[in-house]
Amino acid sequence: MRSPPAPGHNSSAFDVALERLDRSGYMLARFETLMLAVRDTRLDRAALRVLAVLIQSMNRTTLTTWIGYDAIAEQSGVSFKSVQNYISQLGSIGYI
């Protein structure tokens, strides 16, 4: 079994979780991704809330989300600009 990416590695944590699971493991993959993120010291609580909103709004079939920054800001309790910054951070680390 492949271990999760080390801090600083740009491989997507969600992709690693999906490698071990088929589509029936969708909920488990979402959970594993959040658990990896919670333990990642590079992310603060607001970044975790943004990631949670993204994962919660993900389409089960396409594994994509079309939620807007305004909705993410409202649901996560952070500003629009902070959402932009956190999405960039989450992308550069490999969570999205």
Side-chain angles (χ1 to χ4, degrees):
M1 184 160 66
R2 194 168 159 193
S3 61
H9 194 281
N10 285 331
S11 175
S12 171
F14 190 71
D15 288 345
V16 171
L18 282 178
E19 282 179 15
R20 296 189 306 263
L21 305 167
D22 59 10
R23 294 233 187 237
S24 65
Y26 168 76
M27 294 298 290
L28 183 56
R30 289 173 23 156
F31 177 77
E32 283 186 6
T33 300
L34 285 173
M35 291 301 97
L36 287 170
V38 165
R39 292 189 306 264
D40 193 329
T41 58
R42 297 170 292 177
L43 301 176
D44 64 22
R45 290 181 64 181
L48 294 173
R49 289 195 310 268
V50 168
L51 180 60
V53 170
L54 290 170
I55 289 174
Q56 187 175 27
S57 65
M58 189 183 334
N59 179 290
R60 182 181 193 126
T61 303
T62 64
L63 302 179
T64 59
T65 183
W66 292 99
I67 189 169
Y69 285 10
D70 288 324
I72 296 169
E74 182 179 324
Q75 292 179 35
S76 64
V78 301
S79 71
F80 182 92
K81 180 65 176 166
S82 292
V83 168
Q84 291 176 315
N85 293 336
Y86 286 127
I87 286 177
S88 177
Q89 178 189 23
L90 291 166
S92 68
I93 293 173
Y95 285 102
I96 59 172

